[in-house]
Amino acid sequence: MAQQESERTSQLQEETEAASLSAEESLLNRIATKIRRSLELPEILATTAEEIRAFLSTDRVKIYSFHADGSGEVIAESIYHHRLPSLLGLHFPADDIPYHARQMFLKARQRVIVDVAAGRKILSQLDCPNTGESLISEDISYCPVDECHIEYLSTMGVGSSLTVPILHQNQLWGLLVSHHAKPRRYSERELKIIQLLVDQLSIAIAQSNLLFRARNQADHEATINKISQILHSPINNLKIRQTVLDQAVKVLDGSGGRLYITPDGIGESAQVFVCGEQANIAELEESSFWQKIIGLDKNKQAEYLNPAILSQSWGLMKPPIATNIFPKNSSKSQALINQDHPDNKHPVSQIYIITDIYQEPQFKELIPAFKSTGIRSLLIVPLQYHQQCVGCLTIFRNEIETATLWAGRLRKDKRNSRPRKSFQAWRDIRKGQTKEWNQDEIKLAQALGLHLYMAVMQKRVQDTIKHQASHDLLTGLPNRLLFNDRLSLELAHLQQGSKMLAVVFLDLDFFKNINDTLGHATGDQLLQQVAQRLQACLRDGDLVARWGGDEFTILLPGLQSAENAVHIVERILHVISAPFNFNGQEFYVKASIGISFAPYDGEDAETLLKNADAAMYKAKQKGRNNYQVYTPAIGDKALERMVLENNLYKALQREEFLLYYQPQLDIFTGKIVGMEALIRWQSVEKGLIRPDHFIPVAEETGLIFQIGEWVLKTACQQNKLWQQAGLPPIRIAVNLSAKQFQQQDLVKTIAKVLNETGLDPDYLEIEITESIAIQDVDFTIAVLHSLRSMGIHVSMDDFGIGYSSLWSLKRFPLDKLKIDRSFINDFISHPKDAAIITAIIDLGHALNLKLIAEGVETAEQLKFLRSINCDGIQGYLFSPPVTAKAATELLNNQTQTLLKPDNLNPDSLA
């Protein structure tokens, strides 16, 4: 019988335990299912509190969450039949839970059971507080309860309590607390179930945080996509930027905002877009404060961002992921705010936050503009990548009134040592607060700033490409494409009115000399300064363009008379003639200008430009540094020159150039001692053309180099042929033009020709004019020394009509002086010319130079030249320039066709 009773008791215990186990499993399953089905943390917390209270059959279960400042708030609660007062929504100061207790909750997952009546508590540690490792069995200790804590619980009507820490990401997230009005014991199984439920709660918190971040990220991505679509929509650009600002203020929970776009550098001024509440200052971003923030004040930017002077109320955000907010007085702000800190080296702009503008010393000057507003906090996003800043986005937040429910009234006297006498809630209302800028908002602001930057830069790149297509890159002036378009438009308007317009063509005189002597960098600076001076001379509505090189075109519409254009052109000549200063040196530049008028000189752009260009060349022919108004006669000359230029290009291909040779004689023996090679152009269209008609054109077009090399080579070949034919060796003289002489590879070219033709350098004579020699004396001397060192003879042509000084003449390494024909022609009628000729010959002989007179045409001239011991003569008295064939005959029959023996007799010349 006793045995049967024992079996029934054992069976009953097993059934009870099975029922209990089933209930526990059911509880765990319900909460786990709730967590799976509901991802909303408040709902999960409320369900957990309710289920645990029902499981434990206690009077109240609350879930207590910690804030960043250490204070706590009851965020979930379950109460049985109002046996204990509700604490839901109440806040508790941080010092309600001592620091040591917090550390044990975190490090050891310490569980605390308090028996108020007995005045003792049971501490159970699940982890080792030193290593953090889980213990095989709980470390349980018993100790008395602090008197203050007993009074604290008694005041709430609590007879026993169970406190279990809730951990998340190795931090003390909160506490689960079970209160009962009467003393209560907790079985080991109950405690294990509660711990399992708390662990499930930690999973729910992690899951909720992940969900929150995922939702935020999805919302932010949706916002960014929406704003990106707006930025790339086909609507007006101003409307796009205003819409983006409105959206940014909305998603960042601002009370107002501003979008500032810097000037684009190609004509568009700064733009400001506003939304919502604004400070009482229109040019906010032009203030030094904003200019420093967005990096436009480069000289003071480094000083301004120095952490030693930057207020700690700043938050300097590190983009784009590891963004940190540093609250006022944070010890971290000084360490990471430094621009040189490796964590801050990022190409995307940093974000600046002022949590309270009235506490920011750097903001002091702007505070009056904000006094009448509710704005208290602001966030500034420079639209920047690396050092390229195109503006900034500013979001304002108004101050808000905060209300916090506290459990019991805070008292100054013994608040920290004694519990509250009552847990009646009281409302703490504070003004002048602002909503914090959280991490997600900062990341979103960063992304918005980057998208705005890219959109602005894309627009600027497109505008720049369009601008560059119609403007000159060096000077920023319109180019010929834009000038032509504008001219065509003005000509169309001209048809509707009685006014006239002028087209001005300007070319800088001798600009190439500046490039060659001072370098292209200086030449570019000069063109930029010329462009600025030209723009300063013009009226509103006038247009100046860089046509190319050193040429500019100017459009002067709406003229009442031609005199209006002339006055402007005269002002331009005056302004251009003022000295230009480069590195302390002054340089003077002149200009040649041509003017054509519509409708008189043409009714289309091409004709007007062509005629203004022709008038400009006329100005050059008139001595440069002047202007010429187009006339039909100028047009005829210009047409003639254009035809000549076109034919000149063909002449080399057609082999239309010829060399004529004029002999040079020894004045005493009458023998030919040299031949001067003289080029002629036998044009198919125009017949024989003299050098003085086409050489200037050849120099302007650059064909002179090809023509000059052809002359040199042909002359050397002919001289070599004469020598091979057994004729007495003579020198062949070849003239060099100014451009030929200035070319850098002249000496190499001559050496190459001599090598190819096989002519000994001693039989080549190079002639340069006096004007060529003095252009750059040092350069001339260097070239002539090189030629002389090769064995080539050098003579100065047309001597006496240039400007060389005696000092420079003695420095030139010369062999011969050729007296200009103008002195020879006039010495009979002008006795002073005879004195000049005599002086030149005496000077030349004193310098050990040979003298040869050009243009000798009469016996009287010959007689005079012999009397003053001139060395040689050249002129029509003996022979004009002749073909190579005729020159060969002269060399074969010198005594028959040139200076007769009786002419050499002094008596016959008497």
Side-chain angles (χ1 to χ4, degrees), residues 645-658:
E645 183 178 326
N646 289 336
N647 290 336
L648 191 59
Y649 276 102
K650 301 174 185 177
L652 276 171
Q653 300 173 354
R654 296 175 177 175
E655 298 183 351
E656 294 180 352
F657 292 114
L658 304 172

PDB file of all heavy atoms in Angstrom, residues 645-658:
ATOM      1  N   GLU A 645      49.306  86.112-103.523  1.00  0.00           N
ATOM      2  CA  GLU A 645      49.634  85.127-102.492  1.00  0.00           C
ATOM      3  C   GLU A 645      49.273  83.714-102.950  1.00  0.00           C
ATOM      4  O   GLU A 645      50.048  82.775-102.761  1.00  0.00           O
ATOM      5  CB  GLU A 645      48.889  85.477-101.205  1.00  0.00           C
ATOM      6  CG  GLU A 645      49.203  84.553-100.042  1.00  0.00           C
ATOM      7  CD  GLU A 645      48.489  84.972 -98.769  1.00  0.00           C
ATOM      8  OE1 GLU A 645      48.303  86.188 -98.563  1.00  0.00           O
ATOM      9  OE2 GLU A 645      48.111  84.063 -97.990  1.00  0.00           O
ATOM     10  N   ASN A 646      48.111  83.561-103.540  1.00  0.00           N
ATOM     11  CA  ASN A 646      47.694  82.239-104.016  1.00  0.00           C
ATOM     12  C   ASN A 646      48.629  81.712-105.101  1.00  0.00           C
ATOM     13  O   ASN A 646      49.004  80.538-105.110  1.00  0.00           O
ATOM     14  CB  ASN A 646      46.265  82.304-104.556  1.00  0.00           C
ATOM     15  CG  ASN A 646      45.242  82.479-103.443  1.00  0.00           C
ATOM     16  OD1 ASN A 646      45.495  82.130-102.301  1.00  0.00           O
ATOM     17  ND2 ASN A 646      44.095  83.041-103.773  1.00  0.00           N
ATOM     18  N   ASN A 647      49.014  82.608-106.015  1.00  0.00           N
ATOM     19  CA  ASN A 647      49.920  82.198-107.091  1.00  0.00           C
ATOM     20  C   ASN A 647      51.312  81.875-106.563  1.00  0.00           C
ATOM     21  O   ASN A 647      52.016  81.025-107.120  1.00  0.00           O
ATOM     22  CB  ASN A 647      49.999  83.288-108.163  1.00  0.00           C
ATOM     23  CG  ASN A 647      48.700  83.409-108.952  1.00  0.00           C
ATOM     24  OD1 ASN A 647      47.923  82.456-109.039  1.00  0.00           O
ATOM     25  ND2 ASN A 647      48.450  84.581-109.521  1.00  0.00           N
ATOM     26  N   LEU A 648      51.675  82.573-105.487  1.00  0.00           N
ATOM     27  CA  LEU A 648      52.994  82.349-104.906  1.00  0.00           C
ATOM     28  C   LEU A 648      53.118  80.933-104.364  1.00  0.00           C
ATOM     29  O   LEU A 648      54.174  80.297-104.469  1.00  0.00           O
ATOM     30  CB  LEU A 648      53.251  83.372-103.795  1.00  0.00           C
ATOM     31  CG  LEU A 648      54.681  83.469-103.238  1.00  0.00           C
ATOM     32  CD1 LEU A 648      55.662  83.820-104.343  1.00  0.00           C
ATOM     33  CD2 LEU A 648      54.732  84.511-102.130  1.00  0.00           C
ATOM     34  N   TYR A 649      52.055  80.419-103.784  1.00  0.00           N
ATOM     35  CA  TYR A 649      52.061  79.049-103.273  1.00  0.00           C
ATOM     36  C   TYR A 649      52.283  78.047-104.410  1.00  0.00           C
ATOM     37  O   TYR A 649      52.913  77.005-104.229  1.00  0.00           O
ATOM     38  CB  TYR A 649      50.733  78.746-102.573  1.00  0.00           C
ATOM     39  CG  TYR A 649      50.684  79.211-101.137  1.00  0.00           C
ATOM     40  CD1 TYR A 649      50.016  80.381-100.780  1.00  0.00           C
ATOM     41  CD2 TYR A 649      51.308  78.475-100.134  1.00  0.00           C
ATOM     42  CE1 TYR A 649      49.963  80.802 -99.469  1.00  0.00           C
ATOM     43  CE2 TYR A 649      51.264  78.895 -98.808  1.00  0.00           C
ATOM     44  CZ  TYR A 649      50.593  80.058 -98.480  1.00  0.00           C
ATOM     45  OH  TYR A 649      50.555  80.481 -97.176  1.00  0.00           O
ATOM     46  N   LYS A 650      51.757  78.389-105.569  1.00  0.00           N
ATOM     47  CA  LYS A 650      51.864  77.473-106.712  1.00  0.00           C
ATOM     48  C   LYS A 650      53.217  77.577-107.409  1.00  0.00           C
ATOM     49  O   LYS A 650      53.631  76.668-108.127  1.00  0.00           O
ATOM     50  CB  LYS A 650      50.761  77.770-107.725  1.00  0.00           C
ATOM     51  CG  LYS A 650      49.353  77.636-107.153  1.00  0.00           C
ATOM     52  CD  LYS A 650      48.313  78.098-108.173  1.00  0.00           C
ATOM     53  CE  LYS A 650      46.906  78.088-107.587  1.00  0.00           C
ATOM     54  NZ  LYS A 650      45.904  78.606-108.545  1.00  0.00           N
ATOM     55  N   ALA A 651      53.881  78.737-107.232  1.00  0.00           N
ATOM     56  CA  ALA A 651      55.104  79.012-107.983  1.00  0.00           C
ATOM     57  C   ALA A 651      56.199  77.988-107.715  1.00  0.00           C
ATOM     58  O   ALA A 651      56.907  77.559-108.639  1.00  0.00           O
ATOM     59  CB  ALA A 651      55.603  80.415-107.667  1.00  0.00           C
ATOM     60  N   LEU A 652      56.367  77.590-106.444  1.00  0.00           N
ATOM     61  CA  LEU A 652      57.395  76.603-106.128  1.00  0.00           C
ATOM     62  C   LEU A 652      57.104  75.265-106.793  1.00  0.00           C
ATOM     63  O   LEU A 652      58.003  74.609-107.329  1.00  0.00           O
ATOM     64  CB  LEU A 652      57.490  76.425-104.611  1.00  0.00           C
ATOM     65  CG  LEU A 652      58.365  77.438-103.852  1.00  0.00           C
ATOM     66  CD1 LEU A 652      58.176  77.275-102.357  1.00  0.00           C
ATOM     67  CD2 LEU A 652      59.830  77.269-104.223  1.00  0.00           C
ATOM     68  N   GLN A 653      55.817  74.861-106.753  1.00  0.00           N
ATOM     69  CA  GLN A 653      55.451  73.586-107.367  1.00  0.00           C
ATOM     70  C   GLN A 653      55.635  73.616-108.885  1.00  0.00           C
ATOM     71  O   GLN A 653      56.036  72.621-109.493  1.00  0.00           O
ATOM     72  CB  GLN A 653      53.994  73.253-107.023  1.00  0.00           C
ATOM     73  CG  GLN A 653      53.730  73.116-105.524  1.00  0.00           C
ATOM     74  CD  GLN A 653      52.250  72.946-105.215  1.00  0.00           C
ATOM     75  OE1 GLN A 653      51.418  73.040-106.107  1.00  0.00           O
ATOM     76  NE2 GLN A 653      51.934  72.712-103.945  1.00  0.00           N
ATOM     77  N   ARG A 654      55.339  74.763-109.461  1.00  0.00           N
ATOM     78  CA  ARG A 654      55.435  74.900-110.920  1.00  0.00           C
ATOM     79  C   ARG A 654      56.853  75.233-111.386  1.00  0.00           C
ATOM     80  O   ARG A 654      57.113  75.346-112.588  1.00  0.00           O
ATOM     81  CB  ARG A 654      54.494  76.000-111.402  1.00  0.00           C
ATOM     82  CG  ARG A 654      53.014  75.704-111.168  1.00  0.00           C
ATOM     83  CD  ARG A 654      52.196  76.910-111.570  1.00  0.00           C
ATOM     84  NE  ARG A 654      50.748  76.685-111.432  1.00  0.00           N
ATOM     85  CZ  ARG A 654      49.823  77.620-111.628  1.00  0.00           C
ATOM     86  NH1 ARG A 654      50.201  78.855-111.975  1.00  0.00           N
ATOM     87  NH2 ARG A 654      48.547  77.339-111.492  1.00  0.00           N
ATOM     88  N   GLU A 655      57.768  75.459-110.460  1.00  0.00           N
ATOM     89  CA  GLU A 655      59.155  75.829-110.769  1.00  0.00           C
ATOM     90  C   GLU A 655      59.188  77.099-111.628  1.00  0.00           C
ATOM     91  O   GLU A 655      59.856  77.176-112.649  1.00  0.00           O
ATOM     92  CB  GLU A 655      59.876  74.684-111.479  1.00  0.00           C
ATOM     93  CG  GLU A 655      59.979  73.423-110.614  1.00  0.00           C
ATOM     94  CD  GLU A 655      60.755  72.313-111.294  1.00  0.00           C
ATOM     95  OE1 GLU A 655      61.066  72.457-112.494  1.00  0.00           O
ATOM     96  OE2 GLU A 655      61.049  71.307-110.633  1.00  0.00           O
ATOM     97  N   GLU A 656      58.452  78.105-111.138  1.00  0.00           N
ATOM     98  CA  GLU A 656      58.360  79.376-111.879  1.00  0.00           C
ATOM     99  C   GLU A 656      59.449  80.372-111.473  1.00  0.00           C
ATOM    100  O   GLU A 656      59.568  81.431-112.090  1.00  0.00           O
ATOM    101  CB  GLU A 656      56.988  80.020-111.649  1.00  0.00           C
ATOM    102  CG  GLU A 656      55.845  79.203-112.249  1.00  0.00           C
ATOM    103  CD  GLU A 656      54.490  79.839-112.009  1.00  0.00           C
ATOM    104  OE1 GLU A 656      54.411  80.837-111.252  1.00  0.00           O
ATOM    105  OE2 GLU A 656      53.502  79.356-112.583  1.00  0.00           O
ATOM    106  N   PHE A 657      60.239  80.047-110.429  1.00  0.00           N
ATOM    107  CA  PHE A 657      61.285  80.977-110.010  1.00  0.00           C
ATOM    108  C   PHE A 657      62.544  80.807-110.858  1.00  0.00           C
ATOM    109  O   PHE A 657      62.901  79.690-111.261  1.00  0.00           O
ATOM    110  CB  PHE A 657      61.618  80.776-108.529  1.00  0.00           C
ATOM    111  CG  PHE A 657      60.502  81.179-107.612  1.00  0.00           C
ATOM    112  CD1 PHE A 657      59.841  80.226-106.852  1.00  0.00           C
ATOM    113  CD2 PHE A 657      60.111  82.506-107.510  1.00  0.00           C
ATOM    114  CE1 PHE A 657      58.814  80.582-106.011  1.00  0.00           C
ATOM    115  CE2 PHE A 657      59.082  82.873-106.673  1.00  0.00           C
ATOM    116  CZ  PHE A 657      58.424  81.910-105.925  1.00  0.00           C
ATOM    117  N   LEU A 658      63.211  81.928-111.105  1.00  0.00           N
ATOM    118  CA  LEU A 658      64.455  81.956-111.880  1.00  0.00           C
ATOM    119  C   LEU A 658      65.496  82.722-111.102  1.00  0.00           C
ATOM    120  O   LEU A 658      65.169  83.572-110.273  1.00  0.00           O
ATOM    121  CB  LEU A 658      64.228  82.654-113.225  1.00  0.00           C
ATOM    122  CG  LEU A 658      63.117  82.109-114.140  1.00  0.00           C
ATOM    123  CD1 LEU A 658      62.925  83.065-115.321  1.00  0.00           C
ATOM    124  CD2 LEU A 658      63.472  80.724-114.635  1.00  0.00           C
TER     125      LEU A 658
END
